[in-house]
């Protein structure tokens, strides 16, 4: 019918007849308006874990330290130390070390030519020691092989009285010790008591090493 409004449950299209309206109501009597859809819940936002704080910056070395380290780095590497030679064994009268038997035999028999002589008579102990060292150096430089060192047999007046060690036989006992001193031992190959014609027990034959050519 004209002028009738449709209900809240819906109405047939406008201009429907009374029969159509009655049928429409019969069909829609059990219908209910649709409920409003609930609003979608927003996803919960999880808080990001706190980032660890950066480590504290290392303190810069002072400029003086940096300059010192740079200077040390520029230094050349230290050279390796040369090997230490083994100690040279001491010699006693008649010892044979690094000398052929023929040469030693000639030395003992006084058959090697005596190329230099040193007489220590009248010297104090200190003077005699210095004189012996200088004599060995000079003899080796000249290429001498066999030299004679005269110590004396130890007579009572053989050394100066002001020498505290001046007593019979002191030089005879000390010369073999001085020959084994490191500086002298590097030049000496062997020594032995001289034959009678060269002073006997009061003198020593000394066999020298050949000087190395530079």
């Amino acid at each position: 019918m004209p002028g009738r409004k449709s209900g809240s449950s819906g109405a047939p299209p406008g201009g429907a007849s009374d029969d159509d309206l009655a049928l429409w109501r019969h069909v829609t009597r059990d219908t209910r308006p649709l409920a409003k859809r609930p609003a979608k819940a927003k996803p919960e936002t999880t808080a990001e874990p706190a980032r660890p704080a950066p480590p504290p910056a290392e303190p810069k070395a002072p400029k003086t330290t940096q300059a010192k380290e740079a200077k040390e780095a520029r230094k050349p590497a230290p050279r390796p130390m040369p090997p230490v030679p083994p100690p040279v064994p001491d010699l006693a009268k008649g010892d044979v070390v690094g000398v052929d038997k023929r040469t030693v035999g000639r030395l003992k028999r006084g058959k090697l030519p005596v190329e230099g002589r040193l007489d220590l008579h009248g010297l104090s102990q200190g003077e005699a020691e210095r004189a012996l060292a200088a004599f060995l150096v000079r003899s080796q430089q000249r290429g001498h092989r066999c030299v004679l060192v005269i110590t004396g047999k130890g007579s009572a007046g053989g050394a100066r009285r002001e020498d505290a060690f001046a007593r019979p036989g002191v030089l005879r006992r000390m010369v073999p010790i001085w020959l084994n001193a490191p500086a002298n031992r590097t030049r000496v190959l062997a020594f032995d008591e001289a034959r009678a014609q060269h002073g006997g027990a009061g003198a020593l034959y000394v066999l020298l090493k050949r000087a190395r050519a530079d």
Side-chain angles (χ1 to χ4, degrees), residues 24-47:
W24 177 259
R25 287 178 177 172
H26 177 75
V27 171
T28 59
R29 70 178 181 274
D30 294 327
T31 59
R32 298 289 184 271
L34 295 174
K36 293 183 178 180
R37 295 181 179 178
K40 292 183 179 180
K42 295 182 179 180
E44 295 183 1
T45 57
T46 57

Side-chain angles (χ1 to χ4, degrees), residues 12-106:
S17 62
D18 291 338
D19 295 336
D20 293 335
L21 182 60
L23 179 62
W24 177 259
R25 287 178 177 172
H26 177 75
V27 171
T28 59
R29 70 178 181 274
D30 294 327
T31 59
R32 298 289 184 271
L34 295 174
K36 293 183 178 180
R37 295 181 179 178
K40 292 183 179 180
K42 295 182 179 180
E44 295 183 1
T45 57
T46 57
E48 294 184 359
R51 296 181 180 178
E58 296 183 0
K60 294 184 178 180
K63 291 184 177 180
T64 54
T65 304
Q66 293 177 349
K68 185 176 180 182
E69 291 177 353
K71 186 177 179 181
E72 292 291 333
R74 289 193 297 269
K75 286 185 177 180
R79 294 182 179 180
M81 295 295 293
V84 178
V88 182
D90 288 351
L91 291 172
K93 284 195 298 184
D95 281 354
V96 180
V97 179
V99 186
D100 61 277
K101 293 182 179 180
R102 181 173 179 273
T103 301
V104 171
R106 295 184 66 196

Side-chain angles (χ1 to χ4, degrees), residues 1-2 6 28 30 33 47 57 72 74 90 96 98 105 108-109 111 117-118 126 140 155 162-163 177 183 189 201:
M1 296 178 68
S6 61
T28 59
D30 294 327
E72 292 291 333
R74 289 193 297 269
D90 288 351
V96 180
K108 290 178 178 293
R109 295 193 301 271
K111 297 298 183 181
R117 295 171 183 263
L118 174 66
Q140 189 185 49
S155 61
E162 60 268 24
D163 187 354
I177 297 175
L189 279 173

Side-chain angles (χ1 to χ4, degrees), residues 4-5 14 34 40 43 54 62 67 85 99 104 106-107 111 122 129 132 134 136 146 158 166-167 169 173 191 207:
R4 182 174 293 181
K5 296 180 180 179
L34 295 174
K40 292 183 179 180
V99 186
V104 171
R106 295 184 66 196
L107 178 71
K111 297 298 183 181
E129 184 177 6
L132 176 64
L136 295 176
C146 180
R167 56 184 182 271
R173 292 191 297 271
F191 61 89
L207 184 65

Side-chain angles (χ1 to χ4, degrees), residues 167-199:
R167 56 184 182 271
V170 63
L171 295 182
R172 183 181 175 189
R173 292 191 297 271
M174 294 305 297
V175 166
I177 297 175
W178 295 337
L179 289 174
N180 279 296
N184 297 332
R185 179 67 181 84
T186 59
R187 298 181 173 88
V188 176
L189 279 173
F191 61 89
D192 205 349
E193 186 174 299
R195 305 294 288 182
Q197 68 268 28
H198 292 134

Side-chain angles (χ1 to χ4, degrees), residues 144-164:
H144 295 169
R145 289 283 284 162
C146 180
V147 295
L148 185 69
V149 178
I150 302 169
T151 62
K153 295 181 180 179
S155 61
R160 292 180 181 176
R161 286 296 156 199
E162 60 268 24
D163 187 354

